[in-house]
Amino acid sequence: MTSAPETSAPPPAPGSPDKLDRDVLLVAGVVVVGAIMSILDITVVSVALRTFEDVFDATTAQVAWTMTAYTLALASVIPLTGWASDRFGTKRLYLTAVVLFTVGSVLCAVATSLEMLVAFRVVQGFGGGMLVPLGMTILTRAAGPDRIGRVMAVMGIPMLLGPIAGPILGGALIDNASWHWIFLINLPIGLVALVYAWKVLPADAPTPSESFDWLGMVLLSPGLALFLYGVSSIPETGTVWAAKVLLPALIGAVLIAAFVPWALNRRNEHPLVDLRLFANRTLTFAVIGMTLFAIAFFGASLLFPQYYQGVRGESAMMAGLLLAPQGVGAMLTMPLAGVLSDRIGPGKIVMAGVATITVGLGLYATLDDTTSYWFLGLALFVQGLGMGATMMPIMSAALQTLREHTIARGSTLMNIIQQVAASIGTAIFSVLLTNGVKNDIGATDPVGDLAGVFSGVFWVGTVMVALVLIPAYFLPRKKAEQSVDPTVLVGH
């Protein structure tokens, strides 16, 4: 078959191969601002759910839709990002995503009913879903393959710090202003991001000759949305066998399964998500590693603030502050991990990072209802050191092997995997915690029993993180070569 003509490889990124030059740093600033808006918004809203119950006179299940609607919109639009960035250009699409997210934020702030708020969260999600994969594509193209580890370290800042800063910011805004400000704060940030991106991002040449995969969109986008809706309903129902879980999840899984042979069909030259990238061995192991890591990391992240609030009686804002050591640890290792990934390959870095997280989470799993905050802070700090050397090096391992035409498709694929895995992890850990509370809480020492439930679930997370060592072992343990498998270059 004849593949689409390939654009010529970009010239080597200017500046020293060991440093990120001024132009790349300016582009990185644009991307980080956009990613902060998208990722921070998820955790900021999470602390407002109880407020939404009071304001809109709604149940916990009803206000949960403010989170679920955003997640589903996010998952639905991510598959379109790879094609759209090729078709319209990354700069134009990025500006559109910022506008959508900002407008959606303002609409959320002026919502007068829960139904309106949920609908406007969908608008926000459509914009937010494009910001992170687009940011990865833009940064990777700007820096070149030799410096992907460094730019992924920059990209990891909002990804790792969002879950920590979100509860602090959200709690402060709700306590000192009103719930409207958790959305209104995105207006000035969005305007800055829009002007910044307009000035800094280089114009790129779109490739409008590529046809759109309509069948792929009909299969994959609704499939992901339905599957994640079912999975997201597990904590509410407490079981995977409820019709609300099983029916949408099964329909979604069937649609996703039907997409696979269509995406691999030789007649489909431009699939919505290019599964032919799995011909790349490194990308395959990176995807497996990212899946296991995201399930364990995002699942466990749900438990940390709940322990401080449910067992130790802390406020949402204080719980966020107590998680700060994790962010400090990540900030210390992330830049170093990025440099080392480029110099010696990501494999050794990821294995060291995973081993460190396992130790930190294992320490955390020994907690009870009186464990010293100093000990818990140390455990979180150790976890942070490992996280800074894990998530983004896994991303860079996959993207280092891609070139101009397939970068957008590769970053789209990795973000879909991360989104699905994060939703699965959240559901798994929520159910483990809920079932533990139902079965193991006695009347004699309910607080102590609750701490024991958290400890048991954290041990599950420790084992799941340790499993990431298996795919990490197969990641490159030396500097990436410049030659790449031709099947990866053309994606066919």
Side-chain angles (χ1 to χ4, degrees):
M1 63 175 268
T2 303
S3 63
E6 199 62 36
T7 57
S8 59
S16 166
D18 290 328
K19 295 180 181 179
L20 295 179
D21 53 82
R22 178 178 176 276
D23 290 342
V24 175
L25 288 174
L26 285 173
V27 171
V30 174
V31 171
V32 167
V33 171
I36 284 174
M37 285 198 305
S38 174
I39 297 169
L40 199 62
D41 191 76
I42 299 173
T43 50
V44 166
V45 173
S46 67
V47 302
L49 296 182
R50 188 165 297 177
T51 303
F52 292 156
E53 291 181 35
D54 296 335
V55 170
F56 298 116
D57 190 23
T59 65
T60 302
Q62 288 171 333
V63 301
W65 270 101
T66 59
M67 298 286 289
T68 305
Y70 185 86
T71 303
L72 296 184
L74 212 71
S76 299
V77 78
I78 287 175
L80 304 176
T81 307
W83 170 83
S85 60
D86 289 341
R87 173 65 178 80
F88 301 108
T90 52
K91 179 174 182 176
R92 194 182 307 174
L93 192 63
Y94 192 84
L95 294 172
T96 302
V98 171
V99 170
L100 265 179
F101 184 86
T102 306
V103 170
S105 298
V106 174
L107 291 173
C108 287
V110 300
T112 57
S113 68
L114 184 61
E115 292 77 14
M116 287 177 65
L117 180 58
V118 169
F120 294 147
R121 286 284 283 166
V122 172
V123 177
Q124 249 194 328
F126 284 146
M130 292 187 283
L131 287 173
V132 174
L134 269 175
M136 286 186 179
T137 301
I138 292 167
L139 258 183
T140 305
R141 287 176 175 172
D146 290 334
R147 300 184 292 181
I148 286 181
R150 293 165 179 79
V151 297
M152 285 299 104
V154 172
M155 193 72 194
I157 294 171
M159 287 190 174
L160 287 178
L161 299 189
I164 300 167
I168 300 173
L169 178 61
L173 289 172
I174 291 172
D175 289 345
N176 300 303
S178 72
W179 68 268
H180 304 83
W181 281 98
I182 66 175
F183 299 112
L184 282 176
I185 195 173
N186 289 323
L187 178 58
I189 299 175
L191 292 175
V192 169
L194 195 63
V195 175
Y196 190 7
W198 179 268
K199 294 285 188 182
V200 170
L201 293 185
D204 52 349
T207 53
S209 59
E210 287 199 4
S211 57
F212 182 64
D213 182 11
W214 289 103
L215 179 58
M217 185 191 72
V218 169
L219 293 173
L220 187 59
S221 287
L224 282 172
L226 285 167
F227 179 76
L228 291 184
Y229 173 78
V231 169
S232 300
S233 300
I234 293 175
E236 179 188 341
T237 61
T239 174
V240 297
W241 305 113
K244 187 175 182 179
V245 173
L246 212 54
L247 191 60
L250 283 176
I251 295 174
V254 169
L255 290 173
I256 295 170
F259 172 77
V260 174
W262 168 245
L264 296 175
N265 192 314
R266 288 184 173 273
R267 291 179 298 172
N268 185 6
E269 294 190 3
H270 306 293
L272 189 66
V273 173
D274 199 347
L275 300 184
R276 299 181 185 100
L277 292 175
F278 281 112
N280 180 343
R281 177 178 178 272
T282 298
L283 183 138
T284 300
F285 282 114
V287 165
I288 296 171
M290 175 56 69
T291 302
L292 294 174
F293 176 77
I295 290 173
F297 170 63
F298 289 102
S301 294
L302 175 78
L303 302 182
F304 296 132
Q306 290 193 32
Y307 166 78
Y308 283 119
Q309 290 176 273
V311 177
R312 308 302 288 265
E314 302 291 354
S315 67
M317 184 174 175
M318 181 56 68
L321 288 170
L322 289 167
L323 296 179
Q326 183 175 261
V328 174
M331 284 191 292
L332 291 177
T333 55
M334 202 179 298
L336 179 62
V339 172
L340 291 176
S341 292
D342 290 335
R343 290 183 178 176
I344 64 175
K348 296 175 184 176
I349 308 303
V350 173
M351 290 188 72
V354 172
T356 305
I357 297 175
T358 303
V359 171
L361 197 54
L363 290 173
Y364 214 88
T366 64
L367 58 75
D368 57 29
D369 59 323
T370 61
T371 303
S372 164
Y373 279 1
W374 286 104
F375 178 84
L376 295 176
L378 174 63
L380 283 169
F381 178 73
V382 172
Q383 288 177 61
L385 293 174
M387 287 171 186
T390 302
M391 186 162 71
M392 301 322 291
I394 291 177
M395 286 278 195
S396 66
L399 298 182
Q400 274 176 345
T401 59
L402 306 181
R403 293 299 182 266
E404 179 71 13
H405 182 67
T406 49
I407 288 173
R409 302 305 177 95
S411 61
T412 297
L413 177 63
M414 293 297 285
N415 276 276
I416 291 173
I417 296 296
Q418 181 183 314
Q419 184 65 46
V420 172
S423 296
I424 292 173
T426 300
I428 289 173
F429 280 75
S430 295
V431 169
L432 289 174
L433 183 63
T434 301
N435 289 342
V437 169
K438 286 181 180 178
N439 299 328
D440 299 331
I441 304 299
T444 306
D445 184 17
V447 175
D449 292 341
L450 181 59
V453 172
F454 274 96
S455 175
V457 180
F458 278 127
W459 277 119
V460 174
T462 303
V463 173
M464 293 179 71
V465 168
L467 289 175
V468 183
L469 286 168
I470 298 173
Y473 176 80
F474 295 97
L475 295 178
R477 291 195 289 275
K478 60 181 180 179
K479 185 175 180 178
E481 299 293 333
Q482 292 303 305
S483 58
V484 186
D485 187 337
T487 60
V488 177
L489 284 173
V490 299
H492 298 311

